[in-house]
Amino acid sequence: MTTVIRLLGADEVALAAADLIQSSIEAGGRVLGLATGASPQATYTELAHRVVAGRLSLAECSAYLLDEYVGLGSGHPQNYGEVIRRDLVDHVDLPDTRVLGPDGDAGDLSAECRRYDKAVTEAHIDMQILGIGSNGHIGFNEPGSPLTSTTRVVSLTEQTRRDNARHFDVSTQVPRLVVTQGLATICRARRIVLVALGEHKAAAVAHAALGPVSSECPASVLQRHPDATILADSAAASRLP
Ligand code: F6R
């Protein structure tokens, strides 16, 4: 079952998400699953404030990334390992060496996908943070992704490449391939919090929360998860009754 919590704006969403993450850590849940992108940025900033203020520590935590571009190179500013370092790791006491992600530059990507899926599964993610694509993707499980999918290489849809083009100098630089945790991999997390901000996410949020569970809207798989919460600002929640 998915619980949807409607909040006024991005600040309230960030506070509520940080509260859920903090309570999970304080209950002993030290393995985090991290999304990159705009949606969790304010949540990560709020976590950093709490760490700096001495109200929270991530020193005993480890973290696993959801996904990575293929072939971008580890030094590229949009490599998700780099993005999460800038957005979170540099500002908190989470040891850099305990932040792990799939290697999008691996020579044998199939072997890397198998390795990473096993690593994530064995780590038992306690709290998975998600964003949602305007087409309903979570991780980079684009529409049509099997609900039983595990970590694999996928082709981004043109819509996702357009959505992500704002992070690149020119849109043609957006990679076509990514490694992503699968829907089944993501759903192995004990708790999930999905952050949705903005009107362009409203249709995806409505389908994810209330529509049929189907690979047409990959996020709808969360309806089958025992502890998934969608935190939506009023624009992202605007298509909910
Ligand atoms: C990123 C990821 C994606 C994003 C989604 C929303 O690691 O897994 O599913 O969460 O594309 O992106 P933003 O938050 O930039 O709108």
Side-chain angles (χ1 to χ4, degrees):
M1 205 198 101
T2 317
T3 310
V4 186
I5 303 180
R6 200 193 281 250
L7 295 139
L8 208 56
D11 292 349
E12 289 83 357
V13 169
L15 285 175
D19 284 349
L20 287 177
I21 296 162
Q22 179 160 359
S23 69
S24 170
I25 293 169
E26 287 174 353
R30 295 186 174 143
V31 188
L32 302 174
L34 301 176
T36 47
S39 310
Q41 268 176 9
T43 301
Y44 294 155
T45 303
E46 175 60 23
L47 292 175
H49 285 327
R50 295 180 188 193
V51 169
V52 170
R55 290 160 49 209
L56 170 68
S57 175
L58 306 185
E60 301 300 322
C61 292
S62 56
Y64 289 82
L65 302 191
L66 271 176
D67 38 29
E68 185 57 89
Y69 288 118
V70 168
L72 208 50
S74 57
H76 191 285
Q78 286 309 314
N79 172 285
Y80 279 170
E82 297 291 328
V83 172
I84 207 70
R85 188 166 300 126
R86 283 197 304 274
D87 287 354
L88 179 68
V89 184
D90 282 350
H91 313 286
V92 294
D93 53 354
L94 174 61
D96 193 38
T97 49
R98 275 197 253 128
V99 180
L100 304 168
D103 179 3
D105 299 321
D108 183 344
L109 283 170
S110 307
E112 173 59 10
C113 291
R114 284 194 301 277
R115 182 202 68 77
Y116 192 65
D117 201 79
K118 187 166 180 279
V120 169
T121 303
E122 289 178 356
H124 297 295
I125 294 196
D126 293 297
M127 172 57 87
Q128 175 66 56
I129 302 151
L130 295 177
I132 185 170
S134 55
N135 62 5
H137 72 218
I138 52 174
F140 278 125
N141 293 281
E142 299 284 35
S145 295
L147 303 182
T148 53
S149 53
T150 55
T151 302
R152 68 207 187 287
V153 175
V154 304
S155 297
L156 294 178
T157 61
E158 281 311 308
Q159 182 179 344
T160 299
R161 292 187 71 236
R162 275 196 302 277
D163 286 348
N164 288 4
R166 66 190 193 281
H167 301 298
F168 291 81
D169 294 338
V170 281
S171 58
T172 49
Q173 287 178 345
V174 184
R176 294 183 183 279
L177 297 178
V178 291
V179 174
T180 182
Q181 286 187 33
L183 295 172
T185 319
I186 292 170
C187 284
R188 288 180 196 135
R190 288 199 178 91
R191 302 178 78 191
I192 295 178
V193 59
L194 184 152
V195 170
L197 305 174
E199 214 275 324
H200 60 304
K201 303 293 175 74
V205 166
H207 188 160
L210 302 173
V213 176
S214 103
S215 59
E216 258 177 65
C217 176
S220 65
V221 75
L222 300 180
Q223 291 178 33
R224 294 190 178 156
H225 191 277
D227 192 346
T229 304
I230 296 178
L231 300 175
D233 68 2
S234 48
S238 59
R239 296 221 193 163
L240 293 169

